[in-house]
Amino acid sequence: MKSAMVEKEGFAALVLRLRAEGISDIDLLTAVEQTPRSQFVPAQFTAEAYSSRTIPIDCGAFMESADMAVKTVHRLQVKPGQRVLEIGTGSGFMTAVLGKRAERVVSIERYKTLVQMAQNRMDDLGIRNVVIRQADGTNGLVGEGTFDRIISTAAFTAMPRFFTEQIVSGGMMIAPIIMEDGRCIMTRFSKTGSRFEREEMFETPYLPIETHIARYL
């Protein structure tokens, strides 16, 4: 009972912070509410699951704050019936929220440990439209056709080239981009025909994209 109350209070506090930033999408907030964040954080951080801080997870990775995760999904503008590619599964929290919004989500992660843990969480929550694979995300996901939305939680130094081939016209990608001054800006790339628009949105913590899958973890 106590854990359920902490979850409820944490979500309520998150909603208040999000509404202060102009985010009040009922469908999105419902998807977040149906994805108990405390199930995605290490046990010692349960009380901070809905806080506005980043949280360390296995394999030297971290999960973005609850605010950052929801704000990013909000900007991705996922609609029912769409296919989404996620680069960097991490804890699987954002993956699960996307799964409740999209038709199908393919999420790739270089660490086998994180893949297995995230898949277990999807199974526990009964989320069946998400596929999680261990793969190198530096070139997106070759051989899976195109996607309506692509989201990366790992940072690039420029717009990823694979975006032009793996996204549909009218689609968009959101990824952290490392600037020349060292800051990292969450950036949205939109495709219309053969044209691309770039919008720098907000500063974000990051880990740079790494090549190849992890050999041991």
Side-chain angles (χ1 to χ4, degrees), residues 18-90:
L18 292 171
R19 285 179 175 168
E21 292 198 42
I23 300 175
S24 56
D25 182 333
I26 295 300
D27 291 334
L28 173 57
L29 294 179
T30 299
V32 174
E33 185 177 22
Q34 294 173 348
T35 310
R37 191 168 160 89
S38 62
Q39 295 184 25
F40 292 81
V41 302
Q44 65 268 36
F45 294 110
T46 300
E48 300 180 77
Y50 287 90
S51 72
S52 56
R53 60 159 290 185
T54 58
I55 296 176
I57 58 176
D58 290 280
C59 304
F62 69 85
M63 59 190 294
E64 58 287 315
S65 70
D67 306 60
M68 184 70 70
V70 180
K71 185 161 62 171
T72 303
V73 174
H74 173 69
R75 296 293 186 94
L76 195 61
Q77 300 175 13
V78 178
K79 298 178 176 62
Q82 293 183 332
R83 297 180 75 237
V84 179
L85 170 63
E86 180 187 38
I87 301 169
T89 310

Side-chain angles (χ1 to χ4, degrees), residues 116-210:
Q116 293 176 333
M117 294 175 72
Q119 186 60 64
N120 290 340
R121 290 165 181 144
M122 299 305 129
D123 294 341
D124 290 344
L125 291 172
I127 298 175
R128 308 298 182 199
N129 63 331
V130 169
V131 176
I132 305 175
R133 299 179 182 171
Q134 185 183 22
D136 178 349
T138 52
N139 293 310
L141 190 60
V142 178
E144 287 291 329
T146 54
F147 295 88
D148 301 284
R149 299 287 188 268
I150 300 176
I151 184 167
S152 175
T153 55
F156 294 82
T157 55
M159 183 185 85
R161 292 189 175 185
F162 66 79
F163 165 73
T164 61
E165 300 175 350
Q166 296 180 24
I167 201 81
V168 301
S169 177
M172 67 176 65
M173 174 176 184
I174 288 181
I177 301 296
I178 303 171
M179 314 300 282
E180 291 184 359
D181 61 6
R183 293 179 305 136
C184 189
I185 305 297
M186 192 66 80
T187 306
R188 181 165 60 190
F189 302 96
S190 302
K191 180 180 180 182
T192 304
S194 59
R195 293 176 55 249
F196 299 93
E197 295 181 2
R198 171 176 174 151
E199 177 190 359
E200 295 179 358
M201 297 187 295
F202 46 83
E203 196 164 343
T204 179
Y206 71 94
L207 289 174
I209 190 79
E210 295 185 60

